Amino acid sequence: MAGHFITFEGIDGSGKSTQARLLADALRAEGRDVVLTREPGGSKGADEIRRLLLEGDPDRWSAETEILLFTAARRDHLERLIEPALAAGKIVICDRFADSTRMYQGLSRGNLRAKVDALHALMIGREPDLTVLIDMDPATGLTRAKGRNGHEERFEDFGVELQAQMRAGFLALAEEFAPRFRLIDGARDMESVARDVMACLREALA
Ligand code: TMP
């Protein structure tokens, strides 16, 4: 039995991590076998790369170097956690995946999307079955994100312009990959958003 690969995407502070957790809890309560994970990270090696990526000065890495580091972390995560879980028929819920690289590295510092796509095709090759995009106003998202991530503030430090650019980029990406994307308005109470997420899941798992 093949599993289901579900990803959550959105700008920082969109509430996607909370929604990923709520969905995992709800599916587990129904007796489903769920793996909840996140990127960058999700495996021991990838968690080590996460620290390199998210801590330190904004200009610590160029966008090109970041593409390599995020892809290296993703490859380890995929080999060690995601693929084995899917092969065992589990539902894998991942907070961010390759769409985040398409946006944050592919768009934010020049158009590097072709490089992101080439490396993805070469080293990853896996796309989610379903991607839930939690849409959120950039300024609200940044206010929510700031200060809660301790040392992991490298990307928040790029500021509200980056958030706005990423939001527009994610909305365009949802059209580009329309069949697997579901767009959900994140500017509502947590329970209403969770209800919409669950409705998407029911449709996808049916
Ligand atoms: P998080 O706040 O969802 O934990 O994500 C951490 C930061 O990493 C977030 O600002 C977006 C960034 N990121 C990328 O730039 N590229 C990627 O491929 C991923 C997965 C995350």
Side-chain angles (χ1 to χ4, degrees):
M1 186 179 86
H4 297 273
F5 185 31
I6 295 147
T7 59
F8 279 76
E9 297 283 358
I11 61 172
D12 298 300
S14 60
K16 66 182 172 41
S17 305
T18 303
Q19 292 300 327
R21 184 174 43 75
L22 291 174
L23 178 66
D25 291 347
L27 291 173
R28 281 177 184 143
E30 292 180 354
R32 304 254 192 185
D33 205 346
V34 176
V35 173
L36 176 62
T37 186
R38 64 147 187 210
E39 288 205 348
S43 62
K44 192 166 170 289
D47 278 331
E48 287 177 23
I49 299 174
R50 178 183 177 98
R51 278 193 292 281
L52 294 175
L53 280 162
L54 300 191
E55 298 179 14
D57 294 336
D59 63 359
R60 182 176 185 186
W61 309 112
S62 70
E64 287 83 350
T65 310
E66 282 176 16
I67 296 172
L68 293 166
L69 288 169
F70 276 108
T71 305
R74 182 161 304 128
R75 175 76 199 200
D76 192 64
H77 187 206
L78 197 67
E79 281 176 6
R80 289 167 198 265
L81 187 80
I82 298 176
E83 293 293 1
L86 292 175
K90 298 179 185 178
I91 299 177
V92 177
I93 300 175
C94 191
D95 181 358
R96 295 198 186 281
F97 190 65
D99 293 322
S100 282
T101 314
R102 291 183 173 113
M103 290 298 96
Y104 285 82
Q105 285 65 49
L107 206 64
S108 67
R109 282 153 285 169
N111 185 357
L112 298 180
R113 178 68 192 277
K115 287 192 167 68
V116 172
D117 286 348
L119 206 55
H120 179 79
L122 195 64
M123 286 296 165
I124 308 297
R126 161 75 74 174
E127 295 295 345
D129 300 307
L130 178 78
T131 299
V132 178
L133 174 59
I134 309 283
D135 185 43
M136 173 60 70
D137 162 66
T140 312
L142 195 59
T143 308
R144 284 166 57 163
K146 270 273 179 198
R148 74 175 183 196
N149 289 335
H151 295 297
E152 292 189 345
E153 293 210 325
R154 212 180 134 241
F155 284 89
E156 277 94 331
D157 286 345
F158 283 106
V160 76
E161 296 76 19
L162 175 78
Q163 288 269 102
Q165 192 188 16
M166 292 300 100
R167 182 203 201 177
F170 272 124
L171 292 172
L173 205 64
E175 289 190 9
E176 185 182 338
F177 293 99
R180 72 171 160 89
F181 263 89
R182 300 291 179 276
L183 178 64
I184 293 185
D185 176 10
R188 294 170 300 150
D189 62 276
M190 204 169 74
E191 292 78 14
S192 306
V193 178
R195 258 195 306 280
D196 284 2
V197 171
M198 199 58 190
C200 291
L201 252 289
R202 296 242 177 275
E203 178 209 324
L205 297 179

